[in-house]
Amino acid sequence: MTLRRKLLLVALCTLALPIAGWLYVRQMETLLREGQAQALLASANAVARSLVVTGAVAPASGRGWYVQPAPNPITVDGYGDDWAPLTPWSQSLGTRGKLLLAADDSGLYLYADVRATRRTRADADDANALAADHLILALGNANGQRRYLLASAAPGPLTARPLDPAVDGLPELIAAQWQEDGSGYRVELRLPRGLQLRMLGVGVYDAAAGGDRLAADTRPLLSYSDQLSGELAQLVPDRVQARVLAPQGWLLARSGRLNTMPGSDGQPGWFAALVYRSLLATRLEDANLWAQDVPRLDTREVAAAGIGKPVSVWRSGEERGSVVLAAAVPIEHAGQVDGVLLLEQASRTVPLLANRALFGLLLTSFGVLLVAGGILLLFATRLSLRLGRLRNAAERAQLNDGRLDGLFEQGKFPMTDAPDEIGDLARSFERLFEVVGSYTDYLRTLASKLSHELNTPLAIVKSSLDNLEHAALPAEAQPYLARARDGVARLGALVRAMSESSRMERAIAAAEPEDVDLREVVRGCADAYRPLIGARRLDSVLPDAPLHLHCAPELVAQALDKLLDNALSFTPPDGWLRLALRVTPDGAEIELANQGPPLPAAMQGRLFDSLVSLRDKATPGDAPHLGLGLYVVRLVAERHGGVASARSLDDGSGVAFSLRLHGMPRQRLSG
């Protein structure tokens, strides 16, 4: 992984800032919500105590039957079409069916739907009526309670038969409608207004299942109270909706309406609402469970308050981006829960404040992340460039012959004046290259020093051997004397070669350049080589146009002579050679290819060093090959600002030596 990528990963650590800020904003939002919930619970408890003191809520005596206001006129015909809007809030008659009660200006309506697939039919006046399928209707007022039998042998109208003595204020006869189908039967009736009923009971007798024939589930009647609603309106705070519920959740009174429309702060967009709900708000209850116009609230919070436990809950508002805080507290008297007070307050303050804080945090964090990432990226880029310069300088510090680049010879290693750790590294490299340069210069001059120092002892040895030839030596000593003279001859050749190498370097360095047509120089060399190569074939490939170059032509010819001498050593007697001249963007390239064995991989980087040769070792008595030819080729290429190289041909048929020339610098005329 690159340094820039590593520092970029470090920059990503600044993401901890928005995460920490998000947790802080979330905690702040939680504290705000808890504060509002506690305040609303305190208000609800105060209102509940006021209702208990004023006696506005009647004491509860168990479960009750709830009477809903009729949304439209009801026709007593035994069919449930008129009851369709009220059906979702039907009340259970155990496992046998359901009951609906409604009231309007005409009276109290009752609709019972009983499930019975097996029927036993009898009219109410029949002696066997109590053994057949029937309903027991119980009505009660301040004077007492009376039961009525509802049974029919066929669909149609019926009259309920009283089972108990007359009670003041209760009707003697009750007209009803009986309808049935394969699933069961339905009974619908209307009781006149003014009965002042307090209790109502309904019992279902299924002849197939048996049971108590005269039992009725008698309960008090519950209904919405305008009087209680008026008293509630005087107690609740402004902009708060209040509902008084029975312990089972039936609506008894209501005051105020929720206002979830946009206020002065405006309505947050869908994105802000989504951010709030997904990142900040804790779980919100569904708004549909808390509808404002339903006769019963069946939620966990109302059920908890119904058993004496005050609770609060946040739910979604009807409008986008709004939330509603609901507080449910029990209305208790003498240790008994008579009802539930529910206060609801719409709130835009919490979402707006939380959204603003979050968006401010996100913008700030994003800006900090961009700035920090940009600074780290710039720092990483600059650091990478500096390290790249240092690497490039170290890679090109040493030339092929072991000499240092001129930049380092002048003591100008890059970034040595930097005061940081990279400057320390650059200065360490500079000191290292100074030591390497000194050692390299020592090795380069070692040959000339040795050749000078060896001449004197070599002359002494040679003169001693000459004197031994005039001495009377035994015959068995003569081979040893010849061997010594051969060794001295070879040692002298080595000393002369080392001296010649030093002279060649000085001669090549002192060569004078001139403007020549390099094509003619190469053509002349090729024509001169053909008589010297025997049966071998020499092809020349030259450019069509003249190739002018500022160079030393005698050095170029000398380098080609060395390349030809090297190629003839490896080319078969009937082999081929190819001399080519090509134009390059920065000068010219001369290539001499020959048929022969490929280059050994171990010698690829040492072919052009001094005293290195790939030819077979000479036999005793032969002149040794000192490996200076290709060294001269390299010196000529470097004198022309170029480089010498060798490669095996792609088809494996031979090798090719290349001489890249860029031209010699032009001398400035001093005036």
Side-chain angles (χ1 to χ4, degrees):
M1 184 180 293
T2 63
L3 185 61
R4 274 183 288 183
R5 290 185 179 178
K6 292 179 179 179
L7 289 179
L8 183 59
L9 289 178
V10 173
L12 292 179
C13 293
T14 56
L15 288 176
L17 176 63
I19 294 175
W22 167 68
L23 294 175
Y24 173 76
V25 173
R26 189 180 178 91
Q27 183 67 22
M28 180 193 70
E29 191 265 351
T30 301
L31 292 176
L32 287 174
R33 291 172 61 168
E34 288 180 355
Q36 288 196 4
Q38 293 297 327
L40 192 60
L41 279 173
S43 299
N45 283 320
V47 174
R49 286 193 295 269
S50 298
L51 291 175
V52 172
V53 170
T54 59
V57 179
S61 56
R63 299 175 60 87
W65 296 111
Y66 186 74
V67 181
Q68 305 181 54
N72 46 48
I74 296 178
T75 302
V76 180
D77 54 6
Y79 295 100
D81 299 341
D82 301 334
W83 297 85
L86 307 180
T87 302
W89 295 279
S90 60
Q91 301 168 76
S92 174
L93 291 174
T95 60
R96 295 183 175 88
K98 59 185 179 180
L99 176 68
L100 289 172
L101 297 173
D104 59 11
D105 295 337
S106 301
L108 175 65
Y109 296 86
L110 181 147
Y111 179 82
D113 187 353
V114 180
R115 300 299 175 186
T117 56
R118 297 173 58 187
R119 291 293 316 284
T120 302
R121 299 175 177 86
D123 289 329
D125 296 331
D126 196 322
N128 297 322
L130 293 178
D133 294 336
H134 63 269
L135 294 181
I136 299 296
L137 176 63
L139 302 178
N141 59 12
N143 299 318
Q145 178 177 315
R146 194 178 190 187
R147 294 174 299 166
Y148 301 85
L149 173 64
L150 291 91
S152 177
L158 64 89
T159 300
R161 181 168 63 87
L163 297 177
D164 298 319
V167 177
D168 292 341
L170 296 180
E172 183 67 25
L173 298 177
I174 299 176
Q177 287 285 337
W178 183 292
Q179 299 293 338
E180 61 181 51
D181 55 22
S183 62
Y185 58 91
R186 289 164 297 279
V187 177
E188 185 178 16
L189 58 86
R190 180 177 64 84
L191 299 174
R193 293 185 62 84
L195 295 181
Q196 298 181 351
L197 294 179
R198 293 184 178 181
M199 306 292 289
L200 185 142
V202 177
V204 178
Y205 179 79
D206 186 353
D212 190 353
R213 301 179 183 179
L214 300 178
D217 187 6
T218 304
R219 304 179 189 177
L221 291 177
L222 306 175
S223 63
Y224 182 82
S225 173
D226 293 329
Q227 180 181 357
L228 179 58
S229 298
E231 295 183 10
L232 188 62
Q234 299 176 6
L235 297 175
V236 298
D238 295 336
R239 290 176 298 188
V240 173
Q241 175 179 269
R243 286 186 270 188
V244 175
L245 308 172
Q248 295 79 35
W250 295 107
L251 180 64
L252 303 180
R254 179 175 57 204
S255 174
R257 300 286 291 183
L258 282 178
N259 182 15
T260 57
M261 297 301 292
S264 59
D265 294 324
Q267 179 172 340
W270 64 269
F271 181 72
L274 179 63
V275 169
Y276 175 74
R277 292 177 184 271
S278 58
L279 296 182
L280 292 176
T282 52
R283 182 177 178 272
L284 296 176
E285 295 291 335
D286 188 3
N288 294 327
L289 300 176
W290 300 81
Q292 302 182 51
D293 297 322
V294 296
R296 184 183 182 186
L297 291 182
D298 188 11
T299 64
R300 295 189 302 271
E301 291 73 22
V302 172
I307 59 175
K309 181 180 179 182
V311 291
S312 63
V313 64
W314 287 85
R315 66 175 178 87
S316 302
E318 285 73 10
E319 298 295 332
R320 184 183 63 199
S322 65
V323 294
V324 175
L325 172 61
V329 298
I331 303 175
E332 294 181 291
H333 178 66
Q336 180 180 357
V337 178
D338 296 332
V340 174
L341 175 63
L342 177 64
L343 297 187
E344 296 173 281
Q345 183 178 27
S347 174
R348 289 183 178 274
T349 303
V350 172
L352 287 175
L353 288 178
N355 277 339
R356 288 173 182 172
L358 180 63
F359 279 115
L361 172 69
L362 290 179
L363 290 177
T364 303
S365 302
F366 184 69
V368 170
L369 181 62
L370 284 182
V371 172
I375 292 175
L376 286 177
L377 185 61
L378 291 176
F379 173 74
T381 301
R382 183 173 179 272
L383 188 60
S384 299
L385 292 177
R386 295 177 68 196
L387 292 176
R389 286 181 57 197
L390 197 61
R391 179 204 59 205
N392 295 336
E395 287 180 350
R396 67 170 183 266
Q398 217 172 6
L399 301 176
N400 291 334
D401 60 350
R403 291 183 293 112
L404 295 180
D405 188 26
L407 179 66
F408 307 103
E409 292 177 356
Q410 300 173 11
K412 294 182 180 179
F413 199 82
M415 293 178 289
T416 55
D417 54 348
D420 55 4
E421 288 77 3
I422 295 182
D424 294 339
L425 182 61
R427 288 186 286 273
S428 299
F429 276 143
E430 186 181 41
R431 289 191 295 269
L432 174 64
F433 281 117
E434 287 177 356
V435 175
V436 173
S438 300
Y439 185 68
T440 302
D441 291 338
Y442 168 76
L443 293 179
R444 291 181 58 210
T445 59
L446 181 63
S448 60
K449 293 176 181 178
L450 287 177
S451 63
H452 176 74
E453 296 295 333
L454 289 175
N455 277 326
T456 300
L458 187 62
I460 295 174
V461 174
K462 184 177 180 182
S463 62
S464 300
L465 292 176
D466 291 340
N467 293 332
L468 285 175
E469 288 182 354
H470 301 288
L473 297 176
E476 59 270 14
Q478 291 298 326
Y480 298 104
L481 180 63
R483 239 181 257 173
R485 294 187 63 83
D486 181 64
V488 169
R490 297 184 66 182
L491 184 59
L494 287 174
V495 172
R496 288 192 300 274
M498 288 188 292
S499 300
E500 182 183 355
S501 172
S502 300
R503 287 196 302 272
M504 281 190 302
E505 290 182 3
R506 292 192 293 270
I508 291 175
E512 296 292 334
E514 58 181 287
D515 292 328
V516 298
D517 183 3
L518 194 59
R519 183 181 64 170
E520 297 301 325
V521 175
V522 175
R523 178 184 286 119
C525 291
D527 294 339
Y529 294 155
R530 287 189 176 93
L532 304 177
I533 61 176
R536 300 177 181 89
R537 185 180 82 253
L538 174 63
D539 300 327
S540 60
V541 181
L542 304 175
D544 297 333
L547 199 164
H548 297 284
L549 189 69
H550 190 68
C551 63
E554 67 277 6
L555 294 183
V556 175
Q558 185 179 5
L560 291 179
D561 293 344
K562 301 298 184 183
L563 290 177
L564 179 69
D565 180 63
N566 178 76
L568 291 177
S569 301
F570 298 96
T571 305
D574 56 348
W576 54 266
L577 298 97
R578 181 175 67 250
L579 181 62
L581 173 64
R582 290 186 291 271
V583 180
T584 61
D586 51 0
E589 180 183 8
I590 303 174
E591 182 182 81
L592 178 62
N594 66 277
Q595 183 180 0
L599 294 174
M603 298 296 293
Q604 290 286 344
R606 299 176 51 204
L607 285 175
F608 295 92
D609 291 345
S610 177
L611 302 179
V612 174
S613 175
L614 293 179
R615 304 183 191 185
D616 295 335
K617 296 185 180 296
T619 57
D622 294 341
H625 191 273
L626 301 178
L628 294 176
L630 295 182
Y631 177 64
V632 172
V633 174
R634 192 191 76 185
L635 293 178
V636 171
E638 293 175 351
R639 183 70 178 89
H640 289 82
V643 64
S645 61
R647 62 182 177 87
S648 299
L649 297 179
D650 296 337
D651 56 3
S653 60
V655 297
F657 288 81
S658 299
L659 190 66
R660 289 182 176 270
L661 307 176
H662 299 161
M664 299 173 63
R666 296 181 182 272
Q667 298 180 355
R668 295 185 178 179
L669 298 178
S670 59

